[in-house]
Amino acid sequence: MNFLRGVMGGPSAGPQPSGADTIQKLCDRVASSTLLDDRRDAVRALKALSKKYRLEVGIQAMEHLVHVLQTDRSDSEIIGYALDTLYNVISNDLEEEEQEENSPKQGDDLGSQFTEIFIKQPENVTLLLTLVEEFDFHVRWPGVKLLTSLLKQQGPQVQQIVLVSPMGVSRLMDLLADSREVIRNDGVLLLQQLTKSNAAIQKIVAFENAFERLLDIVTEEGNSDGGIVVEDCLLLLQNLLKNNNSNQNFFKEGSYIQRMKPWFEVGDDNCGWSAQKVTNLHLMLQLVRVLVSPTNPPGATTSCQKAMFHCGLLQQLCTILMATGVPADILTETINTVSEVIRGYQMNQDYFASVNAPSNPPRPAIVVLLMSMVNERQPFVLRCAVLYCFQCFLYKNHKGQGEIVSTLLPSTIDATGSSVSAGQLLCGGLFSTDSLSNWCAAVALAHALQENAALKEQLLRVQLATSIGNPPVSLLQQCTNILSQGSKVQTRVGLLMLLCTWLSNCSIAVTHFLHNPANVPFLTGQIAENLGEEEQLVQGLCALLLGISIYYNDNSLENYRKEKLKQLIEKRIGRENFVEKLGFISKHELYSRAAQKPQPGFSSPEHMMFDHEFTKLVKELEGVISKAIYKSSEEDKKEEEVKKTLEQHDNIVTHYKKVIREQDQELEELKQQVSTLKSQNEQLQVTVTQQVSQIQQHKDQYNLLKVQLGKDTQHHNSHGDTLQVNGIQLEEVSKLREELEDWRNRHEQLQGQLKEKDAVIANLKSLQSEMGTEQSAQPSSSGGVEHGAELQKELELLRTQIQLQAAEILKLQTENQKLQTMNSAVDPTSGASGAVASRSSEKENRLLQELQSEVKALSEEKASLQQQLDSSSSTVAILQDEKMKLQQEVAEAKKEQDDLLVLLADQDQKLSALRSKLKDLGMPVEDEDDIESGDQADEDEDGDEEEQD
């Protein structure tokens, strides 16, 4: 132990050994010591030296430490020291005071090299996964940290080992359920590294209920008000969802989008926006954007957008958008998030159009955002976000495009000027002195015309008042005027993109553009000049605009027919030169950046040159225009004919589409009418059934009244007394009939019950006979037979009683028939004498009394029969219980007998095996018969000795 004290820093005599020597001795001690305490002290000393002598410990001790992990699993303390030592060797988290200028690079190299050595044996990573399963804090926590460090150094290789190890990912998922927050939080960091850029692991983690657990942690920590744990959970959620369509679908189907709504419930106050809260909310907004990213499959994006609208998430985001006191970066990210939530989904776009800012008077949110976009004092990133929001609002939204363009038309402009419209703001930005406002307004207006030929024609009606006293000019003319004035490059690029979008696929707009005699000379002059690199982009766009004027020209202007414009290009510019200048656009670096994604992602205002949708237009038209320049007049004529036929075909198709749409509307209306008629029919049927039932009731009441009236008239006849007696007799007879029916039904029930009891007793007898043959020695079987005999006697008595009852019922039926014949024989209208009436009444009274007495006797017999049946059922239940007990006893006896037989068979086998071994060894072995005879002789000798005693 004195040696270890010297290593750990205690006083020691003599010269101090070097670090490498000390580490070597400690490694020898770990490898050779037989006592666990000595090995534990040596590993503890290695841990203390591992930070200062990282290289030496890593080279000399790694193999010994891995061996400790394999062999000393029972001691958690030494395992913890070994894991901590390996973590210090592999991890690049150096102490701040030890960091030098070149130390981070050296640390990276060391950590990567030691990680490569460690994972060269995949069993080491598998061993680490098993150690992470241990609940002991001193083992689990260092194991988690070491595995995280391995993933940081050699992520793909460690991911592959974890993926192929049995239940590897599932073991790590259990860390999220650990009650100790330190392990749970480090487990989140571990899963972050594990899920980076590995779709297979991401799917496994997601289907191991990761979404539920992570969202629970975020809720427990306070949503956006939580600490860094919330940030780590959100980063892990992004890893799981980004570019993973399967997990996104699982997230949506699991109704986890609804659980995101409380994240964005922030107040309107200016306080409470800590740096951590801003970071958390920023990540939450990015997570929403991951689900509705334009790069996702369209169907998946649409379903997520729909879910976000129905759960109120979009409404919550719009509340943040219009709230006061929101930090600028959160506001910018919220605008980008709302943009992608509404992009291309009509329901969300309609809702966003209805959102108003909390101002006096209320203004639409679109107008408020456009005011920020054309305001040069606003931050650049905010203006880009507003432009993106406006583009997403108009994407595939013909209704929204029409509303924006309508604010520019003369009939809808507010003459009082009390409110500013979106169209006025766009025009103001288009002709502003700020080039960035010009570019943003031009691109926004181009999106209002995107793929909408009708609005392109309507925009030609827009007139602008340039100055007092001068006549108004069209918007198209004003754009070309500013273009020819030689403004900034960014302004000219924006205006040229607007004009190209406006004129493409709109022959009327091309005619209006060519009608101005200054436009074509200006374009040819710009293209023909040899200017610097900055102007090459403008030259390419001018070539594109001129090419659109040729390709979509309907030859309505004689001086600017297609052929003449081509000749002009041939003379002034040259076809090759024209095509070369046209190619400047697609070769530009900023064009390639803009073509990557819809969101404007520019580092500075000077780089804002191209719009994403415009790059699609260039890609579509560049080759077509190049071909059109080289075509002859005959080819143009053929193309014109083809175009006309195509237009006719399109017109026919549109006509049929219109007819089909109208028919669909009519069908919908007819379906609605049918549904209403069905509901009305059902209501009428209900009323009819009610009325039918009411009519039936009225009929019954009428019949009753009729009968009563008939009785009243008969009561006033001369033979009233005899009829009254007959009436009483009829009532008594009907009562007797009812009682007879009851007796018949009860008799049938009793017969059925007796049959069931007979069947049960027969089964019991058969079972008892079988059990009696098997277990004749058991006394309980004789008791069951005696019970069966008693039951048989009771059943015989019941049968005799039922036979007597049937005879009595027959007697009652015959008497009833006699009464009926007597009733039919009596004529109420006959003039019988009073003596005959009195005699018949006496007979009837006697018969009634006899019948009543017989009915009472039958009811008493019925009660006694019921009691006997109850007693027989109880005896049957007792017999069944005894039968069950007997069966259980027989089964147990059979089981014991089988076990004894098995034991005897095993013993016989063992004895025969031993005999055979003894015979093989040459020992004398007696046969079973000899042994039995010997045993019998011994017993006889013992008996003789006892007799002598």
Side-chain angles (χ1 to χ4, degrees):
M1 295 300 291
N2 292 329
F3 169 73
L4 285 173
R5 286 197 196 96
V7 171
M8 299 300 292
S12 62
Q16 295 287 337
S18 66
D21 294 339
T22 306
I23 292 164
Q24 182 61 47
K25 288 176 182 177
L26 289 171
C27 291
D28 294 341
R29 197 174 187 85
V30 171
S32 61
S33 180
T34 55
L35 291 174
L36 179 62
D37 292 339
D38 291 346
R39 291 200 302 277
R40 188 188 304 121
D41 293 336
V43 174
R44 187 192 296 120
L46 284 171
K47 175 190 170 186
L49 294 169
S50 59
K51 289 185 179 178
K52 188 175 181 181
Y53 300 100
R54 181 181 177 192
L55 179 63
E56 291 81 0
V57 173
I59 292 171
Q60 298 181 37
M62 184 177 285
E63 186 178 349
H64 301 297
L65 292 171
V66 171
H67 185 68
V68 166
L69 294 179
Q70 291 171 346
T71 56
D72 292 328
R73 290 277 301 275
S74 58
D75 187 67
S76 61
E77 194 173 354
I78 192 172
I79 294 292
Y81 292 146
L83 290 170
D84 283 331
T85 309
L86 287 169
Y87 173 74
N88 292 336
V89 168
I90 288 171
S91 174
N92 289 325
D93 299 333
L94 301 174
E95 297 293 333
E96 291 183 3
E97 61 268 12
E98 294 179 2
Q99 285 186 358
E100 299 174 359
E101 291 182 1
N102 60 345
S103 64
K105 188 174 180 181
Q106 290 177 353
D108 287 347
D109 293 340
L110 274 178
S112 179
Q113 288 170 8
F114 284 135
T115 303
E116 196 171 346
I117 293 168
F118 185 83
I119 66 173
K120 192 174 283 184
Q121 300 293 330
E123 298 83 9
N124 295 342
V125 180
T126 311
L127 175 64
L128 200 53
L129 289 172
T130 17
L131 291 173
V132 167
E133 276 190 299
E134 297 288 337
F135 186 74
D136 193 325
F137 181 81
H138 298 289
V139 176
R140 196 171 207 183
W141 189 39
V144 170
K145 291 196 296 181
L146 177 57
L147 194 53
T148 307
S149 184
L150 291 172
L151 284 161
K152 284 180 181 176
Q153 301 296 336
Q154 298 285 341
Q157 293 88 337
V158 180
Q159 283 174 342
Q160 196 59 34
I161 296 169
V162 173
L163 193 59
V164 298
S165 68
M167 299 293 289
V169 179
S170 301
R171 292 174 185 174
L172 300 178
M173 281 301 300
D174 293 337
L175 297 171
L176 296 181
D178 201 305
S179 57
R180 296 160 292 193
E181 289 190 4
V182 179
I183 294 177
R184 184 198 69 184
N185 299 344
D186 281 351
V188 173
L189 295 174
L190 169 60
L191 289 170
Q192 274 184 30
Q193 298 297 327
L194 184 67
T195 54
K196 272 186 180 177
S197 307
N198 193 309
I201 293 178
Q202 288 168 4
K203 288 178 184 177
I204 296 170
V205 171
F207 282 95
E208 287 283 345
N209 207 21
F211 293 139
E212 184 78 29
R213 295 182 185 180
L214 291 171
L215 292 173
D216 287 342
I217 294 171
V218 171
T219 306
E220 289 168 11
E221 295 291 327
N223 293 329
S224 59
D225 294 320
I228 196 168
V229 180
V230 173
E231 180 183 347
D232 293 336
C233 290
L234 293 170
L235 287 169
L236 177 53
L237 283 168
Q238 280 193 21
N239 281 356
L240 295 174
L241 291 171
K242 200 168 186 178
N243 300 324
N244 194 317
N245 300 328
S246 172
N247 282 2
Q248 288 175 9
N249 188 49
F250 181 65
F251 191 84
K252 177 185 68 69
E253 295 295 334
S255 300
Y256 296 119
I257 291 176
Q258 288 81 337
R259 294 188 61 179
M260 297 168 74
K261 184 191 171 186
W263 295 355
F264 306 103
E265 292 175 356
V266 295
D268 294 338
D269 52 348
N270 295 326
C271 59
W273 288 93
S274 63
Q276 188 60 56
K277 181 173 182 177
V278 170
T279 304
N280 290 345
L281 204 57
H282 202 272
L283 289 169
M284 289 169 177
L285 291 166
Q286 285 182 351
L287 195 62
V288 175
R289 292 184 65 184
V290 165
L291 294 170
V292 292
S293 172
T295 57
N296 292 344
T301 301
T302 303
S303 59
C304 289
Q305 289 172 330
K306 184 178 180 181
M308 287 175 186
F309 175 78
H310 287 296
C311 76
L313 181 58
L314 174 61
Q315 294 84 329
Q316 202 66 46
L317 291 172
C318 291
T319 305
I320 297 175
L321 197 66
M322 295 291 110
T324 55
V326 179
D329 51 349
I330 293 296
L331 182 61
T332 303
E333 191 63 25
T334 305
I335 293 171
N336 287 327
T337 307
V338 171
S339 306
E340 293 182 353
V341 172
I342 66 173
R343 186 178 188 269
Y345 188 62
Q346 188 68 48
M347 188 185 295
N348 293 3
Q349 290 168 337
D350 291 344
Y351 171 77
F352 184 70
S354 67
V355 175
N356 287 322
S359 59
N360 192 14
R363 288 178 176 173
I366 297 170
V367 173
V368 176
L369 291 173
L370 287 176
M371 290 169 74
S372 301
M373 186 185 75
V374 297
N375 186 353
E376 56 186 305
R377 287 175 294 183
Q378 292 291 340
F380 171 66
V381 288
L382 180 65
R383 297 174 76 180
C384 289
V386 172
L387 176 62
Y388 183 48
C389 185
F390 192 72
Q391 291 173 351
C392 292
F393 170 67
L394 296 177
Y395 182 71
K396 293 184 179 179
N397 184 8
H398 293 289
K399 180 183 175 184
Q401 289 176 326
E403 289 173 355
I404 297 296
V405 172
S406 67
T407 59
L408 286 165
L409 298 176
S411 59
T412 56
I413 293 175
D414 186 7
T416 60
S418 59
S419 62
V420 182
S421 66
Q424 291 171 341
L425 287 169
L426 289 176
C427 284
L430 198 60
F431 309 124
S432 168
T433 55
D434 177 32
S435 61
L436 185 58
S437 297
N438 301 151
W439 190 91
C440 291
V443 170
L445 199 55
H447 275 265
L449 303 174
Q450 201 80 34
E451 297 179 1
N452 201 326
L455 292 181
K456 292 176 183 178
E457 294 178 12
Q458 286 190 24
L459 201 63
L460 296 170
R461 296 166 46 205
V462 176
Q463 300 289 320
L464 302 173
T466 54
S467 60
I468 299 172
N470 292 329
V473 295
S474 67
L475 177 62
L476 183 65
Q477 183 62 45
Q478 185 64 17
C479 290
T480 53
N481 291 342
I482 294 171
L483 197 61
S484 61
Q485 288 172 5
S487 52
K488 291 182 181 179
V489 173
Q490 193 174 37
T491 302
R492 283 182 287 163
V493 168
L495 289 170
L496 284 167
M497 285 196 296
L498 172 61
L499 289 171
C500 289
T501 306
W502 194 348
L503 267 61
S504 64
N505 204 18
C506 184
S507 302
I508 298 172
V510 171
T511 305
H512 277 255
F513 178 75
L514 295 175
H515 196 269
N516 187 350
N519 287 340
V520 174
F522 168 73
L523 292 176
T524 53
Q526 286 286 317
I527 298 165
E529 288 182 11
N530 292 319
L531 302 172
E533 290 185 2
E534 292 184 357
E535 294 293 330
Q536 283 183 353
L537 189 57
V538 177
Q539 286 183 318
L541 290 170
C542 288
L544 179 65
L545 183 58
L546 186 58
I548 289 170
S549 302
I550 294 170
Y551 185 71
Y552 291 105
N553 193 342
D554 60 356
N555 295 326
S556 58
L557 294 175
E558 186 62 32
N559 294 331
Y560 296 105
R561 295 173 65 87
K562 283 186 179 182
E563 194 59 37
K564 289 187 177 181
L565 288 173
K566 287 180 187 177
Q567 291 171 3
L568 184 66
I569 288 172
E570 181 66 30
K571 289 178 183 178
R572 298 273 181 92
I573 305 166
R575 291 179 181 176
E576 290 81 5
N577 192 21
F578 178 86
V579 173
E580 184 185 354
K581 296 289 176 71
L582 185 63
F584 284 164
I585 303 172
S586 56
K587 292 175 183 175
H588 202 280
E589 180 187 357
L590 297 176
Y591 173 89
S592 303
R593 286 187 193 174
Q596 290 175 0
K597 58 180 181 177
Q599 183 183 1
F602 305 109
S603 56
S604 64
E606 293 78 20
H607 292 157
M608 287 186 79
M609 288 294 174
F610 286 108
D611 171 57
H612 178 74
E613 291 297 325
F614 181 73
T615 59
K616 294 181 182 178
L617 182 68
V618 173
K619 192 175 181 180
E620 179 187 344
L621 294 178
E622 186 179 4
V624 175
I625 290 170
S626 300
K627 289 178 183 177
I629 295 299
Y630 287 100
K631 281 180 183 177
S632 62
S633 59
E634 293 179 357
E635 290 175 344
D636 282 338
K637 286 179 183 176
K638 289 180 181 177
E639 190 174 346
E640 285 295 328
E641 291 175 0
V642 171
K643 275 187 180 179
K644 285 179 182 177
T645 54
L646 286 173
E647 285 177 1
Q648 290 175 358
H649 181 266
D650 289 340
N651 291 331
I652 293 167
V653 169
T654 51
H655 172 68
Y656 280 116
K657 281 183 179 177
K658 188 178 179 182
V659 170
I660 290 167
R661 199 177 296 113
E662 291 174 355
Q663 288 178 349
D664 287 339
Q665 290 177 355
E666 289 177 1
L667 277 172
E668 287 295 326
E669 291 174 358
L670 289 170
K671 283 179 181 177
Q672 290 178 358
Q673 290 178 5
V674 166
S675 62
T676 52
L677 287 171
K678 278 184 178 178
S679 60
Q680 289 177 2
N681 186 22
E682 289 173 359
Q683 291 176 359
L684 288 171
Q685 284 180 351
V686 170
T687 53
V688 164
T689 52
Q690 289 176 354
Q691 288 176 357
V692 166
S693 63
Q694 288 176 0
I695 289 165
Q696 189 62 39
Q697 289 175 2
H698 290 316
K699 283 182 177 179
D700 295 340
Q701 290 174 2
Y702 173 72
N703 291 328
L704 286 170
L705 290 170
K706 195 174 179 183
V707 170
Q708 287 177 0
L709 285 170
K711 286 181 179 179
D712 290 340
T713 52
Q714 289 175 0
H715 180 67
H716 292 294
N717 288 334
S718 59
H719 302 287
D721 296 333
T722 56
L723 289 175
Q724 190 172 3
V725 172
N726 290 330
I728 292 166
Q729 181 183 352
L730 288 170
E731 290 176 1
E732 293 291 335
V733 169
S734 62
K735 286 179 183 178
L736 285 169
R737 282 178 184 169
E738 290 175 358
E739 288 180 0
L740 281 170
E741 287 297 323
D742 290 338
W743 282 113
R744 282 175 189 165
N745 294 331
R746 288 170 185 171
H747 177 66
E748 290 174 359
Q749 290 176 0
L750 288 169
Q751 288 281 3
Q753 290 176 1
L754 280 171
K755 287 178 182 177
E756 291 176 1
K757 300 296 180 185
D758 287 340
V760 170
I761 289 166
N763 290 331
L764 284 170
K765 279 182 178 179
S766 62
L767 285 170
Q768 284 172 357
S769 62
E770 292 174 3
M771 289 158 59
T773 55
E774 292 176 358
Q775 301 288 334
S776 59
Q778 295 182 2
S780 58
S781 62
S782 61
V785 173
E786 291 173 2
H787 282 295
E790 290 176 2
L791 271 176
Q792 189 67 28
K793 290 176 183 178
E794 289 178 0
L795 284 170
E796 292 296 332
L797 289 171
L798 285 171
R799 286 196 187 95
T800 54
Q801 288 175 358
I802 287 166
Q803 287 173 0
L804 291 170
Q805 186 182 2
E808 289 175 358
I809 287 167
L810 286 171
K811 189 193 289 183
L812 286 170
Q813 286 176 350
T814 52
E815 290 177 357
N816 186 18
Q817 288 174 359
K818 287 178 183 178
L819 284 170
Q820 287 176 356
T821 52
M822 287 172 68
N823 286 330
S824 60
V826 176
D827 187 9
T829 57
S830 64
S833 63
V836 175
S838 62
R839 272 192 239 108
S840 64
S841 62
E842 286 175 3
K843 286 181 182 179
E844 287 164 2
N845 288 330
R846 264 188 274 117
L847 283 170
L848 283 170
Q849 287 174 0
E850 289 175 1
L851 283 170
Q852 286 174 355
S853 61
E854 287 175 357
V855 166
K856 284 180 183 179
L858 283 170
S859 60
E860 290 172 358
E861 288 179 1
K862 174 215 164 190
S864 64
L865 281 171
Q866 191 67 36
Q867 289 176 358
Q868 290 173 0
L869 276 173
D870 293 338
S871 63
S872 64
S873 61
S874 63
T875 53
V876 167
I878 292 165
L879 281 172
Q880 285 179 346
D881 292 337
E882 291 178 354
K883 170 199 143 189
M884 292 293 293
K885 289 177 183 177
L886 287 171
Q887 285 178 344
Q888 288 176 358
E889 289 175 1
V890 169
E892 288 174 0
K894 282 183 179 178
K895 188 177 179 183
E896 290 175 1
Q897 191 176 3
D898 292 339
D899 293 340
L900 286 169
L901 288 170
V902 170
L903 286 171
L904 287 170
D906 291 339
Q907 263 186 335
D908 288 339
Q909 287 178 359
K910 287 178 183 177
L911 285 170
S912 61
L914 286 170
R915 285 194 193 95
S916 61
K917 283 182 181 178
L918 288 170
K919 284 179 182 178
D920 294 338
L921 291 170
M923 298 291 291
V925 179
E926 294 181 357
D927 293 334
E928 290 183 3
D929 298 334
D930 298 336
I931 291 167
E932 288 176 359
S933 62
D935 291 340
Q936 186 66 36
D938 291 338
E939 287 175 3
D940 294 339
E941 288 175 4
D942 292 338
D944 294 339
E945 288 174 2
E946 286 175 1
E947 287 175 1
Q948 289 173 6
D949 293 337

